[in-house]
Amino acid sequence: MQWLVLGLILLLGVHSVRIVAEEWRTQTIERIGVAAWKSAYALLSLLGLALVIWGYGLARQQPVVLWTPPTAARHVAALLNLPAMVLLVAAYVPGNALKVRLHHPMVLGVKLWALAHLLANGNLADLLLFGGFLVWAVLNYRAARQRGLLPTDGHRADAADDDEPGDTDPDPRHPVSLPATVATVVVGLAVWAALAFGLHATLFGVAPLGR
């Protein structure tokens, strides 16, 4: 369990710099450069993710059961994950209407994903993992909205200002595109279907739509 906690602290901590230390982040980027910042950011994120995956796997071998969700909760979770996958895909497709309107589809997708998994799982490790991501997503979205609603320097965020695609404003060079929006929805549905009808069971040993 300690490796899971350590991984979450590292992974979510790195992704929370803009929430708790925006000024320090800006000063550090000015001092070391964007490339060095993004490299350190990526390396620490990968290390945190590896610890989360390893720690969660170890914790599942000796689960601490807090509650037993009903079977119906798994089906509800599977349905919630459908829009979550579409929102996650939307963060990467320029010009789609979801990103233009929502501004932060990745963070919203993580919210739904985490909530869905909390509904369907009742172990301590699940509470730590998915609960941690849910709290992070709520705080991240609030901070992102505050940055957008209360700009300090009047410029639009670009790739040099942001660490992840879910935290960027729509690029004015990419106006709303119906094909991009349709592609976003289709790819998101395809990802959800692949996970729901086989890939999730193969990777994680749990069939989302199983009995």
Side-chain angles (χ1 to χ4, degrees), residues 6-162:
L6 179 60
L8 286 170
I9 292 174
L10 183 57
L11 180 62
L12 297 181
V14 168
H15 285 77
S16 298
V17 173
R18 298 204 72 176
I19 300 174
V20 299
E22 175 76 9
E23 184 176 352
W24 174 84
R25 172 185 176 275
T26 301
Q27 294 172 350
T28 302
I29 291 175
E30 291 176 351
R31 186 175 69 253
I32 68 175
V34 173
W37 171 266
K38 287 185 175 291
S39 296
Y41 183 96
L43 287 174
L44 290 174
S45 296
L46 288 174
L47 176 58
L49 179 61
L51 288 174
V52 166
I53 294 173
W54 185 40
Y56 184 67
L58 292 176
R60 289 182 63 188
Q61 296 177 15
Q62 295 180 321
V64 178
V65 179
L66 301 178
W67 70 87
T68 302
T71 302
R74 183 181 297 178
H75 297 158
V76 172
L79 292 177
L80 286 176
N81 272 301
L82 195 158
M85 293 301 104
V86 173
L87 288 170
L88 291 174
V89 172
Y92 293 93
V93 181
N96 74 84
L98 291 173
K99 186 168 186 176
V100 171
R101 292 183 179 277
L102 299 175
H103 292 253
H104 308 285
M106 177 172 284
V107 178
L108 293 173
V110 170
K111 277 187 184 181
L112 282 178
W113 171 83
L115 176 61
H117 284 78
L118 280 175
L119 291 176
N121 298 278
N123 295 339
L124 177 59
D126 301 314
L127 179 61
L128 291 173
L129 176 60
F130 304 116
F133 270 94
L134 181 58
V135 171
W136 170 83
V138 170
L139 295 177
N140 186 291
Y141 189 72
R142 185 178 68 176
R145 284 182 61 86
Q146 290 174 343
R147 290 197 302 273
L149 293 173
L150 301 172
T152 57
D153 54 11
H155 81 284
R156 178 178 293 274
D158 58 27
D161 297 319
D162 297 286

